[in-house]
Amino acid sequence: MKKKDVPQDIGMTNGVLEIIYAVNNEGRYELIQSAGWEAKKVTLNQAWDVIIDEITGVIKKVKIGKLSPLAFHMAKNQMNISLLAKYVRMNRLRIKWHLKPEIFKKLKPSILEKYAVIFGISIDELFEVPESVEYDFKKE
Amino acid sequence: MIIDFKHRQSSHCESGVISNMLFHYGMNISEALAFGIGSGIFFGYIPFIRLNHLPLTTFRSATGGIIKRVTNRLDIGIKTQKFRNPVAAMAALDRKLDQGIPVGCQTGGYWLPYFPQAFRFHFNMHNLVVYGKENNEYLISDPIFSDPVAISPTDLVKARFAKGALAPKGKMYYLTKVPDQADFSTAITKGIKEVCRTMLKTPLPILGVRGIRFLANQLEKWPKRLGEEKALLYLGQLIRMQEEIGTGGGGFRFIFAAFLQETADLLKNSRLNEISENVTEIGDRWRQFAVMGARNCKKRARDGDTYHAMSEILRDCSDREKKIFQELVETV
């Protein structure tokens, strides 16, 4: 790739510049900062569409009382049961149990604390589920 | 404690970290040179390993290998530690910082707050250098970012003890011995010979130049086998792995070309310059593939942007890479 062809398609990266190796007019390689590339933007968007679809589906189930708010935070943090189990050092079946709304409501603070810490939120926030998820980089 | 550590932005985290750490101890080795000596370039299409339910494709050798090979081949002393206990892991880090030693850490990118949201996925192979602590924040030289950053101990612990595939388990490493003089030419030769072997002679048909051809044949069948929508997800994932941050563009082919160019000067072998130009062309071919694939993903495919056409580009890449690595074997 020629230095002049290094793409500078802004979007998604929030101003972060990455290094691309490209050839200058003398045919020598240089490290060039790039603001982004359309082809990457498209495929990254695609990956996020899948994640957002997943979260949106879970929100619906939480709102109709089929799943506990834990399911939402798990999806939002791109985790499945087995990954979350490793983070909070609990059995997978136990987490599955906590995905039931009536069980989750009655959990001890010490258990809730574990979840809150790993998601980086307060125990109160653990019970909050928005109507939809929005990401700033998706608006561009 | 702040160590006077020079942050130099690079393209790939592992080669960037080792290049910067060596520079700190007075060995001037570019990222591309570290990447080449560490035999970083590779190809593997591994459909039975899944990432977000989609097949894994890799354009570089297994994580950790670059640092291992660079230190080995240049006779550099490195001490690596893993931990079970996060408190012990942070204490060990603090001790090294107090001694004025910059420390490399393997981390989970998901937990690093300075990553833009759009890049926050669970991947546990991200390397960075911790070079100090100030106001209860760790100072981080993350080679893929343009400037150093500071993060809280809470965030660093989470990142060092990320869970899931290839969990870092608090892994940290620091250099214990850096020779004044290094035999670059032998190390370079070893680095090149190894990639030629892995790219040409791997017995598994899903790895090396045969792997690219295998992928091409599979890709052609995706729409029929998986349906149009799923095929696009497979395609998108492939392009992301090829071009994600840290590849330097073209699935590491450009950084490898830069390495060959630098090597041509060091070994005074002009033939390597020509090969470097050919590798650049191969990188451009990979980029053409990505552009065509992305148009499909965006549902903006033009006439001729078919799966057959894309697999033809990949077959061309496979043929060209085969030729290149065969020539390289004879050149070094």
Side-chain angles (χ1 to χ4, degrees), chain B residues 40-292:
Chain B
I41 202 161
F42 188 57
F43 182 85
Y45 172 65
I46 309 169
F48 47 85
I49 298 184
R50 299 265 154 166
L51 215 72
N52 312 316
H53 312 291
L54 302 168
L56 176 83
T57 311
T58 177
F59 292 82
R60 57 154 173 134
S61 54
T63 179
I66 294 178
I67 291 181
K68 207 165 126 189
R69 286 185 283 266
V70 167
T71 49
N72 233 326
R73 287 173 184 163
L74 292 174
D75 196 25
I76 293 153
I78 184 166
K79 171 103 171 104
T80 305
Q81 285 175 286
K82 282 191 181 185
F83 300 86
R84 274 164 175 251
N85 181 342
V87 178
M90 295 310 275
L93 171 64
D94 288 348
R95 270 199 304 278
K96 285 297 143 200
L97 293 176
D98 281 340
Q99 292 168 16
I101 298 171
V103 181
C105 286
Q106 189 191 335
T107 55
Y110 186 78
W111 303 106
L112 297 170
Y114 56 85
F115 265 59
Q117 176 70 45
F119 294 108
R120 288 185 71 179
F121 299 105
H122 292 280
F123 62 99
N124 289 336
M125 309 80 90
H126 188 63
N127 287 277
L128 47 79
V129 177
V130 187
Y131 69 95
K133 199 176 179 183
E134 191 183 38
N135 304 328
N136 201 31
E137 280 197 312
Y138 285 96
L139 306 177
I140 309 285
S141 161
D142 187 324
I144 68 170
F145 288 84
S146 54
D147 297 295
V149 287
I151 66 171
S152 73
T154 324
D155 288 327
L156 187 57
V157 172
K158 270 190 182 170
R160 290 183 70 192
F161 284 87
K163 308 282 193 241
L166 301 168
K169 298 195 171 84
K171 180 173 163 184
M172 68 176 220
Y173 45 89
Y174 50 89
L175 303 183
T176 52
K177 186 191 80 178
V178 180
D180 296 333
Q181 292 284 323
D183 182 3
F184 280 113
S185 52
T186 312
I188 288 167
T189 311
K190 279 186 185 164
I192 292 178
K193 285 209 164 124
E194 179 168 348
V195 288
C196 293
R197 198 169 58 238
T198 52
M199 288 299 285
L200 295 174
K201 301 241 164 86
T202 307
L204 280 173
I206 57 173
L207 308 178
V209 296
R210 284 201 294 160
I212 305 175
R213 184 163 281 274
F214 176 74
L215 169 64
N217 295 340
Q218 294 289 308
L219 182 136
E220 206 163 8
K221 293 181 226 151
W222 281 350
K224 261 203 176 142
R225 230 185 68 209
L226 309 161
E228 202 57 53
E229 282 305 306
K230 191 91 196 246
L232 290 179
L233 291 179
Y234 271 49
L235 188 58
Q237 166 109 329
L238 172 57
I239 297 167
R240 277 195 300 281
M241 310 234 71
Q242 179 193 317
E243 296 295 336
E244 69 188 340
I245 282 197
T247 67
F252 294 97
R253 270 55 191 163
F254 294 138
I255 185 175
F256 187 66
F259 157 71
L260 292 176
Q261 191 175 71
E262 206 178 326
T263 298
D265 297 349
L266 284 168
L267 302 185
K268 300 192 177 54
N269 183 341
S270 59
R271 182 80 193 87
L272 287 171
N273 265 325
E274 293 160 32
I275 298 180
S276 165
E277 279 168 31
N278 294 338
V279 175
T280 305
E281 284 166 21
I282 293 171
D284 289 335
R285 285 298 269 164
W286 280 104
R287 300 279 279 194
Q288 285 165 9
F289 163 75
V291 169
M292 200 185 270

Side-chain angles (χ1 to χ4, degrees), chain A residues 41-128:
Chain A
K41 222 163 97 180
V42 169
T43 53
L44 198 56
N45 247 312
Q46 183 200 44
W48 276 98
D49 286 339
V50 173
I51 294 170
I52 291 169
D53 277 354
E54 160 89 17
I55 303 174
T56 309
V58 170
I59 289 177
K60 274 190 195 134
K61 284 185 179 161
V62 176
K63 293 292 179 193
I64 59 169
K66 267 198 151 176
L67 286 171
S68 76
L70 179 63
F72 162 71
H73 295 288
M74 193 165 88
K76 183 155 189 282
N77 284 275
Q78 300 170 36
M79 292 185 187
N80 54 24
I81 292 178
S82 65
L83 185 58
L84 181 58
K86 283 184 185 134
Y87 272 111
V88 293
R89 290 166 181 261
M90 279 191 232
N91 191 299
R92 275 184 300 189
L93 288 176
R94 204 163 161 208
I95 290 177
K96 222 171 173 179
W97 187 238
H98 296 167
L99 292 177
K100 294 178 190 290
E102 64 277 20
I103 305 295
F104 189 67
K105 256 186 283 181
K106 292 185 225 152
L107 284 181
K108 284 187 289 189
S110 62
I111 302 284
L112 292 172
E113 178 76 27
K114 280 190 177 184
Y115 288 127
V117 166
I118 206 63
F119 297 139
I121 54 179
S122 67
I123 290 185
D124 287 340
E125 284 169 320
L126 207 50
F127 287 89
E128 288 168 16

